[in-house]
Amino acid sequence: MTKHFTVFSFILVISALLISGCKTTSTTVEYPNLPVVDNELGKSKWAQLERFPARYPQQAVINSTEGCATIEYVITPENNVRDIVVVKSTNKHFAATAQDVVTNWKWKDLSNNIISEPVKTQTRFDFCFDKAGQACSTMEPEYSCPGEDIIYSRGMMVQ
């Protein structure tokens, strides 16, 4: 009976470890009910915000991969960025790079209270290569992500 009890205890411990190991970590969404305001950052009140393109991920360059990522986020009156979510992405590297760059824009250089209430918006990042002297931002992409506020991360194909 001791042998059966030991085996049963072992199985019970392993099961508990597996169940707790599968537990997902959740992040708290501070503003779950805010509607998305399309192209919020295209408004003149944000003209002083220094935004720059996401760095083209090295793995995507090596593989000559083009694509996009749409990032949704909330801007607070104190110019903090919250609730950053990838809405759609064609590549995990594009998603990670786009998320990072949104947080690195020069939010703290802006004066506070540009807005009086938090606002949720989206930015689409297109990662593309210029071809035959034509900027990729002028070409119709073969990929699709939602968003009117578009930032291009451009590369150039070298022969």
Side-chain angles (χ1 to χ4, degrees):
M1 186 147 130
T2 309
K3 182 178 178 182
H4 292 297
F5 181 72
T6 305
V7 170
F8 177 75
S9 297
F10 177 75
I11 291 172
L12 189 61
V13 167
I14 295 298
S15 297
L17 288 173
L18 287 174
I19 290 170
S20 66
C22 292
K23 183 179 177 182
T24 59
T25 56
S26 63
T27 55
T28 304
V29 176
E30 293 181 49
Y31 304 98
N33 300 319
L34 281 179
V36 173
V37 178
D38 291 327
N39 204 18
E40 170 68 20
L41 296 183
K43 296 176 181 174
S44 61
K45 62 185 169 187
W46 299 105
Q48 298 303 309
L49 176 61
E50 184 183 339
R51 300 195 303 164
F52 37 86
R55 186 178 185 126
Y56 216 113
Q58 184 177 6
Q59 193 62 42
V61 171
I62 291 168
N63 296 328
S64 299
T65 304
E66 294 184 313
C68 57
T70 297
I71 307 301
E72 184 175 278
Y73 49 96
V74 174
I75 308 162
T76 69
E78 299 79 27
N79 300 327
N80 293 314
V81 179
R82 302 279 189 252
D83 299 351
I84 301 171
V85 176
V86 177
V87 174
K88 183 176 180 184
S89 178
T90 60
N91 179 295
K92 67 180 181 181
H93 301 293
F94 296 150
T97 303
Q99 277 184 299
D100 287 345
V101 79
V102 167
T103 61
N104 289 320
W105 287 341
K106 305 297 181 182
W107 298 102
K108 293 299 177 187
D109 292 350
L110 297 172
S111 58
N112 284 345
N113 301 313
I114 291 175
I115 51 176
S116 58
E117 297 290 327
V119 64
K120 183 184 289 186
T121 193
Q122 296 179 346
T123 300
R124 183 177 98 199
F125 294 86
D126 279 9
F127 297 84
C128 55
F129 294 103
D130 294 344
K131 296 175 182 92
Q134 186 176 6
C136 63
S137 58
T138 64
M139 296 184 273
E140 187 68 32
E142 295 178 14
Y143 47 84
S144 176
C145 289
E148 296 174 25
D149 178 33
I150 305 169
I151 304 279
Y152 290 93
S153 294
R154 297 170 41 199
M156 184 182 298
M157 300 296 280
V158 179
Q159 302 286 332

